[in-house]
Amino acid sequence: MSNNTPRVALVTGGTGGIGEAVVDALVADGFAVGVHYAGNKAKADALVEKITTAGGQAVAVGGDVADEHAMAAAFDTVRTAFGGIDVVINTAGIMVLGPIADYDLDQFDQIVRTNLRGAFVVSQLAARHVRDGGAIINFSTSVTRTQLPKYGPYVATKAAVEGLTLILARELRGRDITVNAVAPGPTATPLFFDSNNEQTIAALTNVTPLERLGRPEEIATTVAQLAGPARWVNGQTVFVNGGLA
């Protein structure tokens, strides 16, 4: 790449609360960005239009993260548009809470498909296509430490994502590619508010020493560091949670 060619990132779940904040942070750092969406094409297109109008470079790509063919096409679209991919950030995920004893198995299959198979598919494609010197960032959760009731299925998928992420970091030895997982604490996103009742939201708002929810842009700041200058952080799970645990 010449000095005039931007680094290129693909952000899955780019229309979500954290995903959109990540897209904004990367664009501010000069990245060309592939904004992935699962269902909200209109929002992805609007985000791309906002970026390009402001002089940035972006393209919208759709598809189920667990569908290897759809995601291969998404990777190809970004590579065709910008010449390659340097960073892949997988924020896509779903969260449906419930006690293990009563959890619907069809719902369990769905959460495993999106959160775990999706992370595997995206990680596999990233391992094949990210250029040397790049970065791969998956998403876990701080509830792997706090072990809150009703988060069992969600945490099971995210603990598995951590495991495959840290092994991938070792498998990519020799390519100068960092692979890390980011584990947010309670963050003010639509996913968080839609998945918790008012009592739980109030409790989680006050549980950190900072006595508030995290903001999506605060998660994105850490992601941008891992995508850019933080080259000596590799094979780690980085907890971004205001001191939760």
Side-chain angles (χ1 to χ4, degrees):
M1 290 183 298
S2 70
N3 292 333
N4 295 325
T5 303
R7 298 182 78 211
V8 180
L10 169 60
V11 181
T12 73
T15 60
I18 291 175
E20 183 175 356
V22 168
V23 169
D24 288 342
L26 294 179
V27 169
D29 285 345
F31 278 80
V33 180
V35 180
H36 164 269
Y37 64 92
N40 199 339
K41 183 179 187 297
K43 185 172 182 181
D45 288 341
L47 185 54
V48 166
E49 184 177 1
K50 180 187 76 170
I51 293 166
T52 55
T53 300
Q57 298 184 64
V59 62
V61 291
D64 174 4
V65 287
D67 181 336
E68 66 272 30
H69 304 294
M71 291 312 298
F75 271 72
D76 286 345
T77 298
V78 175
R79 293 167 66 208
T80 299
F82 302 122
I85 298 176
D86 301 289
V87 175
V88 172
I89 301 164
N90 186 36
T91 77
I94 61 174
M95 179 165 58
V96 179
L97 306 183
I100 293 168
D102 301 325
Y103 205 83
D104 180 78
L105 288 178
D106 288 338
Q107 185 61 66
F108 182 74
D109 289 342
Q110 183 181 350
I111 200 171
V112 168
R113 174 178 170 79
T114 299
N115 292 2
L116 179 51
R117 180 186 167 92
F120 190 92
V121 167
V122 172
S123 294
Q124 184 177 72
L125 287 165
R128 294 172 180 172
H129 296 301
V130 165
R131 292 186 283 209
D132 292 2
I136 301 168
I137 303 163
N138 282 318
F139 266 70
S140 181
T141 173
S142 288
V143 191
T144 57
R145 285 185 176 179
T146 57
Q147 290 106 33
L148 294 173
K150 298 186 179 180
Y151 278 79
Y154 180 71
V155 166
T157 65
K158 292 300 188 179
V161 168
E162 283 188 25
L164 73 88
T165 300
L166 306 192
I167 289 173
L168 182 58
R170 278 74 187 177
E171 291 182 344
L172 295 185
R173 170 185 291 272
R175 290 181 52 191
D176 189 28
I177 295 173
T178 63
V179 189
N180 293 288
V182 170
T187 306
T189 66
L191 180 67
F192 174 79
F193 289 120
D194 290 346
S195 301
N196 293 281
N197 60 36
E198 290 185 14
Q199 182 179 2
T200 301
I201 291 169
L204 291 174
T205 297
N206 294 311
V207 74
T208 71
L210 298 179
E211 297 183 325
R212 63 174 176 82
L213 296 175
R215 295 186 289 269
E217 57 267 27
E218 292 175 312
I219 310 302
T221 297
T222 296
V223 172
Q225 286 290 310
L226 293 173
R231 299 300 301 167
W232 197 234
V233 182
N234 187 30
Q236 306 298 318
T237 299
V238 181
F239 288 83
V240 189
N241 60 25
L244 177 65

